[in-house]
Amino acid sequence: MTELIAQRTGAPISELDRGRPEAAPGRGRRRGRGPGQSPWWALLFIGPTAAGLLAFYLWPTVRTFLMSFTESGPFGGSEFVGIDNYVRLFQDPELIGALRNTAVYTVIALIGIPVAVAIAALLNTAGLRGRGVYRTLYFIPVVTMPAAIALVWRMIYNGDYGVLNEVLGVFGIDGKSWLTDPNTALAAIAVVGIWAGLGTNIVIFLAGLQGIPDTVIEAADLDGAGPVRKFFSITIPLLSPSIFFVSVISVIGALQVFDLIYMMLGQSNPAMPNTRTIVYLFYEAGFLDNEQGYAAAIAFLLLIIILVLTVVQFRLQKKWVHYE
């Protein structure tokens, strides 16, 4: 390029090269890492979170697993007993009942997912007035203390003066003692669990519904699709990632149910054998019978069950969850 300019202008090549800026020293060499590129900075930022996970999640899990191979003495201390706690656990007749009750509660609790989807779709209707008020009303149970929820619903379910039986009596239906009848106690508590968690699911589904592009709905309108067809062919498939997320956290939460059963029934309730869940079995072993090793074995079994079900859900979601 310099020779071509020299031929046209008649200027010496040396004078043209004199005005060319010199290459910066070290250009082409690998630059040193700045302060923001040091791996120590990344460790500084993730360190607090990693320390919290290690201290409050990973170490308790490892500690529980190690404790499950020990047996606690009546005055403290423990001794290694191998797999005796697990052998005893799988021979415990109460384990089968606890697993059955937990499974029944989980299945009933999952009914809250389609209910939350329907309510969220209604709240997402264009032109609905007071949408913020409805959101607040549905979300109030989420921020309410479980003790207050249990107290209110015990009064509602009361067989003598409960509100539910009073309403049923208006229609000529004889009510029953919902929380002491072994046939209805678990379902009654599951309904309370659905009601208490409805607000969280509605908020998640509302966020998913508002993320659906308007162009897709408009295209369906141009094709002549009705409201029902649009809901099942467009809304539900595009909402499937939110439904999958809610289903995962709902299953995990239902498998860990304890507070509602503890506060709404009590140990002397005749319906307890039909409502005892695996977490309640853990509570009885660890806190009432002072058998920490056996309770740790129950807790670790619950961890394995949750892990397996979560993995199964993630495998199955490939068949029905649409991320596009």
Side-chain angles (χ1 to χ4, degrees):
M1 186 66 181
T2 305
E3 296 177 356
L4 180 61
I5 297 176
Q7 292 177 1
R8 293 185 176 180
T9 60
I13 297 178
S14 59
E15 295 183 1
L16 293 175
D17 291 337
R18 191 178 302 167
R20 178 183 296 177
E22 297 181 359
R27 177 177 294 179
R29 298 178 181 177
R30 185 177 181 182
R31 298 182 180 179
R33 292 179 177 178
Q37 298 175 333
S38 174
W40 295 106
W41 284 96
L43 183 61
L44 178 64
F45 285 112
I46 69 175
T49 302
L53 292 174
L54 180 63
F56 298 106
Y57 289 91
L58 183 59
W59 170 242
T61 302
V62 175
R63 186 71 180 88
T64 301
F65 178 69
L66 297 177
M67 188 183 297
S68 66
F69 297 101
T70 64
E71 182 179 357
S72 302
F75 300 101
S78 59
E79 61 175 332
F80 182 78
V81 294
I83 62 173
D84 289 352
N85 288 324
Y86 290 97
V87 173
R88 174 189 169 187
L89 177 61
F90 288 106
Q91 293 177 350
D92 191 349
E94 293 185 350
L95 175 64
I96 302 300
L99 291 175
R100 182 184 64 249
N101 296 335
T102 304
V104 172
Y105 181 92
T106 302
V107 172
I108 299 176
L110 291 178
I111 299 176
I113 296 179
V115 175
V117 171
I119 296 176
L122 293 175
L123 293 179
N124 196 52
T125 304
L128 179 65
R129 295 182 179 180
R131 184 180 303 175
V133 177
Y134 289 115
R135 290 181 183 177
T136 304
L137 292 176
Y138 280 113
F139 200 76
I140 285 177
V142 179
V143 296
T144 305
M145 294 295 294
I149 293 176
L151 178 62
V152 171
W153 279 93
R154 284 183 65 176
M155 297 175 63
I156 294 175
Y157 283 138
N158 189 278
D160 298 326
Y161 54 84
V163 177
L164 179 58
N165 286 347
E166 293 292 335
V167 174
L168 294 177
V170 174
F171 298 95
I173 302 176
D174 294 331
K176 56 181 63 178
S177 185
W178 301 93
L179 295 180
T180 57
D181 188 343
N183 297 321
T184 60
L186 187 60
I189 296 175
V191 170
V192 179
I194 293 173
W195 174 81
L198 201 60
T200 302
N201 298 342
I202 289 175
V203 170
I204 295 174
F205 289 143
L206 273 175
L209 289 171
Q210 294 172 1
I212 297 177
D214 295 335
T215 54
V216 178
I217 304 299
E218 293 173 357
D221 292 333
L222 293 176
D223 290 340
V228 177
R229 180 66 182 275
K230 287 190 296 184
F231 181 77
F232 287 101
S233 299
I234 296 178
T235 303
I236 294 300
L238 295 180
L239 194 63
S240 57
S242 300
I243 297 175
F244 169 67
F245 172 74
V246 171
S247 66
V248 171
I249 62 174
S250 297
V251 169
I252 294 176
L255 291 174
Q256 298 178 0
V257 62
F258 167 75
D259 50 358
L260 289 177
I261 296 176
Y262 177 78
M263 290 181 290
M264 294 185 67
L265 295 185
Q267 300 177 14
S268 60
N269 195 305
M272 178 54 68
N274 293 74
T275 57
R276 181 187 289 110
T277 60
I278 189 169
V279 178
Y280 201 95
L281 189 65
F282 160 81
Y283 163 75
E284 290 181 336
F287 293 90
L288 299 182
D289 301 333
N290 195 31
E291 297 178 341
Q292 283 81 14
Y294 185 62
I298 298 174
F300 198 77
L301 175 63
L302 178 60
L303 172 64
I304 297 299
I305 293 174
I306 292 176
L307 181 62
V308 170
L309 291 179
T310 303
V311 171
V312 171
Q313 286 180 288
F314 271 89
R315 291 291 182 89
L316 295 179
Q317 60 96 16
K318 298 178 181 179
K319 299 181 179 180
W320 64 276
V321 179
H322 306 277
Y323 291 100
E324 297 180 357

